[in-house]
Amino acid sequence: MLSVKTKLLNHLTKNGEKKTSEKILFKSFKKLQKDSSKPTKDILKTALVLSTPVFKVHVIENKKQRKKNRKIKKIPYFIVNNSSRISLAIKFIMKSINNKFKPLYSKLQNEILLTSQQKGDSINFKKELQKQVLTNKKYFNFYKWK
């Protein structure tokens, strides 16, 4: 099982540049430590807990019909594995970082801080996902409960 730090590094890494992703992660952790009185480990844990979704939506498209008449089913399903929940929360945090004017480490630090205070964009992504699950709950009969 991968640790949260290695998962963050894997999500930050682009084009095999692991050293640059490590630098970005450590700079953001240092900035987090300077800006807050709590330890960065606790802030990161609360941010991940608050942004972890319980359900995920799987899109199924009927390809036997014509393109105009294709029906798309959005089937919600329960995420059983904790590591996949954590990685989805990290994806939400990475997706919410989109400001081009600031350096990446400060954007990551700001998003982790805002998410730990329940104000970040990743929490909005989680809420939108929950709304999609509630609107498509009629498709729960396709899900096999174990």
Side-chain angles (χ1 to χ4, degrees), residues 11-28:
H11 284 285
L12 271 173
T13 304
K14 289 183 180 177
N15 298 327
E17 298 288 329
K18 190 174 179 182
K19 286 188 177 184
T20 56
S21 62
E22 285 176 343
K23 287 179 185 178
I24 290 168
L25 188 66
F26 291 130
K27 278 186 179 182
S28 63

Side-chain angles (χ1 to χ4, degrees), residues 26 30 32 39-40 42 44 46 49-50 55 58 69 77-78 86 92 95-96 109 120 131-132 137 143:
F26 291 130
K30 282 182 182 180
L32 254 174
T40 52
D42 294 340
L44 184 65
T46 55
V49 166
L50 290 174
F55 290 97
H58 187 73
N69 298 333
Y77 66 94
F78 184 69
I86 291 170
F92 284 164
K95 189 177 177 183
S96 62
Q109 179 261 336
K131 286 179 185 176
Q132 283 183 353
K137 69 181 179 181
Y143 184 75

Side-chain angles (χ1 to χ4, degrees), residues 72-76 135-143:
I72 297 172
K73 290 181 184 177
K74 295 182 178 179
I75 299 174
T135 56
N136 295 317
K137 69 181 179 181
K138 63 184 176 185
Y139 293 119
F140 266 130
N141 57 356
F142 291 108
Y143 184 75

Side-chain angles (χ1 to χ4, degrees), residues 80-91:
V80 181
N81 195 357
N82 284 335
S83 64
S84 60
R85 280 188 193 174
I86 291 170
S87 66
L88 197 60
I90 293 171
K91 282 181 189 176

Side-chain angles (χ1 to χ4, degrees), residues 44-78:
L44 184 65
K45 280 183 185 179
T46 55
L48 287 176
V49 166
L50 290 174
S51 64
T52 51
V54 180
F55 290 97
K56 191 175 179 180
V57 176
H58 187 73
V59 179
I60 296 177
E61 198 173 318
N62 192 355
K63 294 184 179 179
K64 291 183 179 178
Q65 295 176 343
R66 293 184 183 181
K67 265 195 174 179
K68 292 181 183 177
N69 298 333
R70 282 188 184 169
K71 292 184 181 178
I72 297 172
K73 290 181 184 177
K74 295 182 178 179
I75 299 174
Y77 66 94
F78 184 69

